[in-house]
């Protein structure tokens, strides 16, 4: 059984070690509780921008090339990602050189030059343009749905920022954000692989013990929600319509969260899922349909994404809503529940083979206060009943939680017909 070990330094930095002696490489990651929801108004994208700029050089490594070369020397390949609530810096490293990997990341986080801002601004601007059409309208369904789910709140803003906010970010903003949020009490270091926890805790203490900083400010919580379904159509010169149905969901600590995980799999979890069977295998109007869960301290969402020809859009909306309503109205069979449950339990077993997944489970889990072992998740899944799944579905798929986004070359009358389908869904729910 894989066991994580936890340790806290005197400065508040938390260190997690997951001993996986059967592996030959280690995964090193640093999670900082600073993401899109921490960005100040008018500086949306600041957390993401800072993530980029920390690779531009430090007092120890003068350029991104020197940082890359230093990681290559210890068997690494560094990368980073910023989401709504956190930023993660990570790299595979040779187990014998974990401390050197920590030292490189420490140099980036604690001693960055904060240079090359104009170049990075151009790079991020080009990245942001990928979510815009030729008229400058947002065409990323995730971004559009987030604005509907959490209007006038940082969670509703794109993590990458807007063209205006990216252009407004300067060195003063980056330095202030670094000092405010990159503090030991808001950071978790995790190492997973063929390592010894005593060695990892000792190395982290020597590398990061001098790091100081006050607790970061609290973020504004989501307090408002929609009372009716929201629908948004955006025209784009694509060959297909990109459709997303996003339901306002539950916080990550909600008692129904495991049921939501199973609901996602039942509806859009693979070849045997209901939406896949109806939309692809029976009707042939999509190539695939994907489901995704978002979860935060006080809110969450469950989304379904698919693409289809414009002529098939209304049928796709109708069938998808029909399947979603059906799972709220009718308990799933024991056979379907057991198949989905067992698949989930097996996937949890397979995750034991991945140092990266163990780092996410125990490192990110420590950051957001959700420390759960594989065994705990498996045991909870075994006790989920059809009634529990149906109860979660009825709460989650209530009409007022629905946010429908359609992006593409839609035709005249489609918006009106879609509103009628959504109204029919609401009336029958």
């Amino acid at each position: 059984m894989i066991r994580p070990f936890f340790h806290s330094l005197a400065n508040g930095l938390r260190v997690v070690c997951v001993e996986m002696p059967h592996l030959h490489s280690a995964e090193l990651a640093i999670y900082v509780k600073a993401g899109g929801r921490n960005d100040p108004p008018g500086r949306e994208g600041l957390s993401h921008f800072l993530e980029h700029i920390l690779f531009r050089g430090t007092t120890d490594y003068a350029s991104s090339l020197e940082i890359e070369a230093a990681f290559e020397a210890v068997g690494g390949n560094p990368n980073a990602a910023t989401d709504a609530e956190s930023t993660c810096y990570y790299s595979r490293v040779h187990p014998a050189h974990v401390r050197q990997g920590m030292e490189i990341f420490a140099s980036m986080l604690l001693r960055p030059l904060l240079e090359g801002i104009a170049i990075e601004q151009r790079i991020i601007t080009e990245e942001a343009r990928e979510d815009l059409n030729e008229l400058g309208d947002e065409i990323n369904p995730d971004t559009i749905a987030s604005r509907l789910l959490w209007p006038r709140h940082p969670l509703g803003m794109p993590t990458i920022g807007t063209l205006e906010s990216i252009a407004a970010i300067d060195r003063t903003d980056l330095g202030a954000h670094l000092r405010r949020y990159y503090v030991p009490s808001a950071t978790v270091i995790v190492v997973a692989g063929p390592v010894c926890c005593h060695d990892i805790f000792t190395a982290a203490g020597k590398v990061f013990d001098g790091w100081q900083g006050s607790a970061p400010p609290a973020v504004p919580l989501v307090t408002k929600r929609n009372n009716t379904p929201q629908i948004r159509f955006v025209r784009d010169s694509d060959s297909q319509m990109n459709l997303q149905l996003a339901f306002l969901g539950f916080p990550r600590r909600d008692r129904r969260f495991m049921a939501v995980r199973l609901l996602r799999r039942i509806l859009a979890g693979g070849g045997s899922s209901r939406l896949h069977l109806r939309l692809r295998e029976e009707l042939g109007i999509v190539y695939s349909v994907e489901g995704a869960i978002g979860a935060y301290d006080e809110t969450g969402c469950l989304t379904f994404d698919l693409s289809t020809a414009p002529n098939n859009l209304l049928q796709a909306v109708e069938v998808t809503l029909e399947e979603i309503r059906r799972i709220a109205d009718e308990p799933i069979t024991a056979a379907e529940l057991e198949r989905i449950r067992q698949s989930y339990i097996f996937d949890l077993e397979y995750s034991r083979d991945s140092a990266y997944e163990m780092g996410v489970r125990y490192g990110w889990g420590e950051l957001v206060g959700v420390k759960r072992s594989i065994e705990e998740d498996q045991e909870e899944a075994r006790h989920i009943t059809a009634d529990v799944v149906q109860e979660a579905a009825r709460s989650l798929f209530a009409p007022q939680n629905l946010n429908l986004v359609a992006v593409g070359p839609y035709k005249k009358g489609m918006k009106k017909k879609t509103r009628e389908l959504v109204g029919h869904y609401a009336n029958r729910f």
Side-chain angles (χ1 to χ4, degrees):
M1 182 174 70
I2 292 174
R3 286 186 59 201
F5 298 87
F6 301 88
H7 177 67
S8 293
L9 302 184
N11 60 6
L13 179 68
R14 288 161 288 171
V15 187
V16 182
C17 177
V18 187
E19 295 184 352
M20 306 174 72
H22 59 290
L23 300 184
H24 296 85
S25 65
E27 190 75 23
L28 167 63
I30 299 181
Y31 288 92
V32 182
K33 207 165 194 309
R37 72 179 304 172
N38 301 95
D39 298 340
R43 295 297 186 274
E44 291 82 10
L46 182 54
S47 294
H48 175 258
F49 201 125
L50 182 59
E51 170 226 306
H52 275 235
I53 213 70
L54 294 190
F55 282 90
R56 281 277 163 190
T58 78
T59 56
D60 309 294
Y61 307 96
S63 66
S64 57
L65 177 59
E66 289 192 20
I67 291 173
E68 291 280 351
F71 268 108
E72 287 178 5
V74 297
N77 181 23
N79 209 332
T82 302
D83 59 29
E85 287 192 311
S86 64
T87 303
C88 178
Y89 301 85
Y90 60 96
S91 178
R92 182 180 63 178
V93 294
H94 191 280
H97 298 284
V98 173
R99 175 171 172 174
Q100 290 94 319
M102 288 185 186
E103 289 171 343
I104 304 168
F105 275 138
S107 185
M108 293 170 57
L109 271 61
L110 307 184
R111 298 180 294 279
L113 297 176
L114 301 182
E115 294 180 351
I117 294 172
I119 295 175
E120 208 59 57
Q121 224 151 16
R122 292 197 290 271
I123 293 171
I124 297 173
T125 296
E126 290 306 311
E127 185 181 356
R129 289 187 189 279
E130 294 178 1
D131 292 338
L132 307 176
N133 64 14
E134 62 273 18
L135 299 177
D137 299 323
E138 287 178 336
I139 55 173
N140 184 327
D142 290 332
T143 301
I144 301 169
S146 293
R147 290 185 184 274
L148 298 178
L149 286 162
W150 303 292
R152 298 175 297 281
H153 188 276
L155 283 178
M157 298 300 293
T159 301
I160 195 172
T162 65
L163 296 184
E164 295 75 19
S165 65
I166 294 167
I169 293 171
D170 59 22
R171 196 176 194 278
T172 300
D173 298 319
L174 293 165
H177 207 66
L178 181 72
R179 292 187 297 273
R180 184 175 295 120
Y181 292 105
Y182 279 58
V183 295
S185 62
T187 305
V188 174
I189 297 173
V190 59
V191 181
V195 293
C196 170
C197 64
H198 177 268
D199 295 338
I200 297 304
F201 297 156
T202 300
K206 291 180 178 179
V207 174
F208 291 98
D209 191 49
W211 188 12
Q212 300 296 323
S214 303
V219 296
L221 299 179
V222 174
T223 58
K224 298 180 180 179
R225 57 186 302 152
N226 297 318
N227 297 317
T228 58
Q230 304 294 306
I231 301 172
R232 183 66 48 83
F233 272 68
V234 178
R235 190 171 298 281
D236 185 42
S237 56
D238 199 349
S239 61
Q240 287 187 302
M241 292 295 302
N242 296 306
L243 176 67
Q244 180 175 115
L245 281 75
F247 289 87
L248 186 68
F250 310 135
R252 61 168 66 94
R253 296 180 186 87
D254 193 282
R255 63 176 178 82
R256 298 163 291 185
F257 200 73
M258 180 60 71
V260 175
R261 286 176 171 159
L262 299 183
L263 276 170
R264 183 197 68 81
R265 287 170 170 260
I266 293 167
L267 286 166
S272 68
S273 64
R274 294 186 179 190
L275 290 176
H276 180 92
L277 290 175
R278 285 293 308 280
L279 294 168
R280 173 174 165 142
E281 298 304 316
E282 294 180 19
L283 299 175
I285 61 174
V286 305
Y287 175 72
S288 64
V289 54
E290 304 291 337
I293 298 172
Y296 308 107
D297 284 338
E298 80 282 28
T299 186
C301 64
L302 175 60
T303 63
F304 301 103
D305 287 89
L306 59 91
S307 297
T308 190
N311 289 340
N312 297 327
L313 176 68
L314 295 176
Q315 186 180 25
V317 171
E318 182 177 21
V319 170
T320 301
L321 290 175
E322 177 185 317
E323 287 299 326
I324 289 170
R325 183 190 57 77
R326 185 164 71 90
I327 203 169
D329 286 349
E330 305 169 9
I332 63 175
T333 65
E336 183 178 21
L337 177 58
E338 185 57 28
R339 185 182 75 250
I340 295 298
R341 184 197 347 255
Q342 200 58 49
S343 173
Y344 173 66
I345 289 173
F346 285 153
D347 280 346
L348 289 172
E349 283 292 321
Y350 301 154
S351 71
R352 297 180 192 274
D353 296 330
S354 170
Y356 174 81
E357 289 193 43
M358 291 300 97
V360 173
R361 170 174 287 274
Y362 295 112
W364 178 83
E366 171 68 25
L367 185 78
V368 300
V370 182
K371 290 191 292 186
R372 292 179 60 88
S373 68
I374 291 173
E375 292 77 19
E376 287 174 319
D377 278 347
Q378 289 175 327
E379 187 64 17
E380 184 176 357
R382 291 188 182 100
H383 287 86
I384 295 292
T385 65
D387 288 341
V388 170
V389 172
Q390 186 181 21
E391 186 243 332
R394 290 200 62 80
S395 296
L396 177 65
F397 298 137
Q400 65 269 22
N401 292 335
L402 171 59
N403 300 268
L404 186 152
V405 174
V407 179
Y410 63 89
K411 299 180 179 179
K412 184 178 179 180
M414 281 188 172
K415 286 195 288 187
K416 180 182 178 182
K417 289 288 187 181
T418 299
R419 290 192 185 96
E420 292 174 356
L421 290 172
V422 171
H424 185 60
Y425 170 82
N427 292 334
R428 294 185 61 194
F429 196 87

